[in-house]
Amino acid sequence: MPPNLERVNAAAKQAAQTRFTALLHHIDEDALLRAFRRQKRQASAGVDGITVAKYEERLTDNIRDLCARVHAARYRPQPLRRVYIPKADGGKRPLGVPALEDKIVQSAVAEVLSAVYETDFLGFSYGFRPGRNPLMALDALHTAIMSQRVNWVLDADIRSFFDSVDHERLLRMVAHRIADPGILRLIELWLRAGVLESGEKQETDRGTPQGAGTSPLLANIFLHYILDLWVNQWRRRHARGRIVIVRYADDFVMGFESKADAQEMLLALKVRLATIGLTLHAGKTRLIEFGRFAALSRQRRGERRPETFAFLGFTHYCGRTRDGRFIVKHKTDWETPDAQADGVAPGRLAAHARATSHAARVVRRRAARALWLLWQAAQLSRAQRLLPRSASDLATLSETAQPEKSAHGLAGVRDPDGTLPPANSTHHSHMGAGADMTRVTLGKSRVRESRPPGSVRAKPNGRATRPRPTCAYSIPVIQL
């Protein structure tokens, strides 16, 4: 995040009621250039037919002219080019392809608005937010079901959400935090730009066309006020048990501990959406018994395992690990167009990409513990091999450790020429001839030794020293 937007983000964090009255100056040439760099080079062109490569030929002049038009209120967005993609239920999903300059300005405005609204969005919202992706939403749902007392799951989907958003209501929601007339004017222009289909321009008074740069952010703002805050308040005031929720754009899943809470939430949610002109998709919204305790209760009743539900291109179902423990398993639904639109990695790669799986974590913990135990056993075995096994081994070790004495009395030192001085028997030793020439190791230290009084590391003479415990055997020390 650029330094100027970091200051905006810090101001937004200080007070949730702060309204920003001057944000348009952040849409400068640098912001527009960053937005251009984020565009895909192979993206489809809008109604003007200008591609990224063609716009880049005179990039500096084009960005300077675009910035001047935005700040002089001479910028006018072009209609969206309408295209359709197939849906899983046999229908078609309408998409809008903006012109390249519209993409650039929308991306720059979305960057500024994200600095404000990222402090407001709740933690269970994962759709089209910086630093978040569908796999993180799947991991959050998996963790919630595995760690919380989830017995019922509400898999909900809002029917034709992106085509049903009321423009006036959306602008009022944006105005809660944004009071800059220049930013509000740009958002209104984009909402009412219309679409071009079969050569005819069609005016739009509802919806945020999918494909526009600001559409995901505006959808998150709308759902933040009509759904996220409302659900968070409802579960604090009315819920009798635990309620968890994970939302990705207009697709969300809720988990309930109590069946009564789940039924009441479903009824209240329908009423809530109806007040703003939205409805739940009857074919994609289901309330099912699901979870660890649901599987156990159905097993006691002699029923089959709980039903499955689909979320972000994965089918979630109750299963068992190899040692018989409960786990939520997943299988991909990449063959459906809806799954492809959600942006999940294709095929089995998506399943393997989910490194946050509970089963994978268990396997890694067990493998780490097994390696640690093997290392401990190896260290113990090595230590046992180094210890003398019997008194005879200790005697043999003492005999082999005795050094040879040369003619000059130096142990272990060869003097073929006889030029070395005679050895001094008292050199480096404060012990008499009859002193015990052994040292005993103490505790777990490698080099700690007991020394007679008067030695370099011994206690001063005249002070009583506490006797130190000895180990089961002594190691001979050779005097030089």
Side-chain angles (χ1 to χ4, degrees), residues 19-20 23-24 109 113 117 170-191 218:
R19 299 185 69 203
F20 293 85
L23 291 176
L24 189 61
V109 172
L113 294 181
Y117 282 101
L170 175 59
L171 289 173
R172 289 198 300 269
M173 292 178 180
V174 175
H176 280 300
R177 289 286 257 170
I178 309 300
D180 188 332
I183 298 294
L184 295 177
R185 173 182 169 274
L186 289 176
I187 296 176
E188 186 175 2
L189 288 175
W190 291 325
L191 291 176
L218 295 178

Side-chain angles (χ1 to χ4, degrees), residues 20 29-30 57 65 76 84-85 103 120 143 146 151 196-197 204 213 267 269 328 363 393 411 416 448:
F20 293 85
E29 294 185 14
D30 292 337
E57 294 176 357
D65 177 67
R76 293 293 185 275
Y84 294 91
I85 61 173
K103 292 180 182 178
D120 295 346
T143 303
M146 291 294 299
N151 299 322
L196 189 65
E197 185 174 3
T204 56
L267 294 176
L269 183 60
V328 178
V363 170
D393 295 341
R448 189 181 303 168

Side-chain angles (χ1 to χ4, degrees), residues 388 394 397-398 436-441 470-477:
L394 183 59
L397 178 63
S398 301
D436 184 10
M437 303 307 298
T438 61
R439 301 290 185 267
V440 290
T441 60
T470 62
C471 64
Y473 59 91
S474 60
I475 300 176
V477 178

Side-chain angles (χ1 to χ4, degrees), residues 76-104:
R76 293 293 185 275
Q78 301 186 50
L80 303 175
R81 183 170 62 88
R82 177 70 78 192
V83 296
Y84 294 91
I85 61 173
K87 299 178 64 176
D89 56 4
K92 293 184 177 181
R93 184 192 302 272
L95 297 180
V97 181
L100 180 58
E101 282 195 339
D102 297 337
K103 292 180 182 178
I104 295 173

Side-chain angles (χ1 to χ4, degrees), residues 126-163:
Y126 289 88
F128 307 106
R129 294 179 57 184
R132 299 198 172 197
N133 54 54
L135 295 181
M136 296 175 66
L138 291 170
D139 178 55
L141 177 62
H142 179 90
T143 303
I145 297 177
M146 291 294 299
S147 60
Q148 304 294 326
R149 295 183 63 88
V150 174
N151 299 322
W152 294 84
V153 166
L154 174 61
D155 178 20
D157 183 85
I158 302 176
R159 178 187 292 275
S160 302
F161 168 75
F162 287 92
D163 300 328

Side-chain angles (χ1 to χ4, degrees), residues 258-368:
S258 169
K259 182 179 180 180
D261 286 344
Q263 293 174 339
E264 291 180 12
M265 169 59 77
L266 181 57
L267 294 176
L269 183 60
K270 291 180 179 179
V271 174
R272 170 70 175 176
L273 295 179
T275 58
I276 52 179
L278 299 176
T279 58
L280 292 176
H281 196 293
K284 295 183 178 180
T285 302
R286 296 185 307 145
L287 179 61
I288 61 174
E289 191 177 11
F290 193 92
R292 179 193 309 274
F293 303 101
L296 292 175
S297 61
R298 292 177 70 92
Q299 185 177 6
R300 295 192 194 101
R301 296 194 302 262
E303 301 176 358
R304 300 183 60 185
R305 66 184 183 184
E307 299 180 60
T308 64
F309 68 93
F311 183 63
L312 296 183
F314 285 87
T315 297
H316 304 255
Y317 62 96
C318 296
R320 295 285 175 181
T321 61
R322 291 184 178 180
D323 53 359
R325 293 184 296 174
F326 172 82
I327 188 174
V328 178
K329 294 186 176 182
H330 324 270
K331 60 182 179 181
T332 57
D333 291 334
W334 182 251
E335 63 274 6
T336 63
D338 284 346
Q340 301 179 27
D342 286 330
V344 183
R348 295 297 177 185
L349 294 178
H352 293 297
R354 296 193 67 254
T356 53
S357 170
H358 177 74
R361 289 197 297 268
V362 171
V363 170
R364 287 196 296 269
R365 284 198 299 267
R366 292 181 178 177

